[in-house]
């Protein structure tokens, strides 16, 4: 029975969105009134050739996190400086 519980817990962990990697670095220290809007950041990433599925502020509150597909069809997660939309980290 303990093996079933352990196996179930492992499956739930693997399926959890929190299991996906995250970026713990700092994208900007600028005040939020200096940030571009999410829509403006999305437009800049799109100009760079990515198809943007969604964009949001990270939990740490200093990056935009964008879920995208690149030109080859590869799904990626981009962490952006919200003042410039420059890619700080990708995975």
């Amino acid at each position: 029975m303990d093996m079933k519980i352990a196996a179930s817990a492992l499956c739930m962990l693997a399926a959890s969105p929190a299991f996906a990697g995250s970026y713990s670095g700092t994208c900007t220290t600028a005040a939020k009134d200096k940030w571009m809007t999410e829509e403006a950041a999305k437009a800049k990433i799109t100009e760079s050739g990515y198809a943007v599925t969604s964009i949001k502020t990270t939990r740490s509150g200093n990056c935009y996190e964008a879920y995208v597909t690149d030109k080859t069809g590869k799904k990626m997660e981009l962490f952006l400086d919200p003042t410039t939309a420059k890619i700080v980290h990708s995975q």
Side-chain angles (χ1 to χ4, degrees), residues 36-66:
M36 61 177 44
T37 64
E38 289 181 6
E39 284 303 313
K42 181 178 178 178
K44 278 201 140 191
I45 308 168
T46 302
E47 287 173 14
S48 298
Y50 294 99
V52 181
T53 304
S54 68
I55 188 168
K56 64 181 183 177
T57 303
T58 59
R59 287 185 192 161
S60 61
N62 63 43
C63 297
Y64 280 150
E65 179 178 11

Side-chain angles (χ1 to χ4, degrees), residues 1-2 6-9 16 18-19 27-28 30-31 43 53 60 66 68 71 74 77 87-88 90:
M1 178 116 168
D2 288 330
S8 294
S16 169
F19 189 75
C27 295
T28 189
T53 304
S60 61
V68 303
K71 295 175 186 176
K74 180 180 175 189
E77 188 175 4
I87 298 169
V88 176
S90 64

Side-chain angles (χ1 to χ4, degrees), residues 4-20:
K4 281 186 178 181
I5 293 171
S8 294
L10 183 60
C11 287
M12 288 174 57
L13 180 63
S16 169
F19 189 75

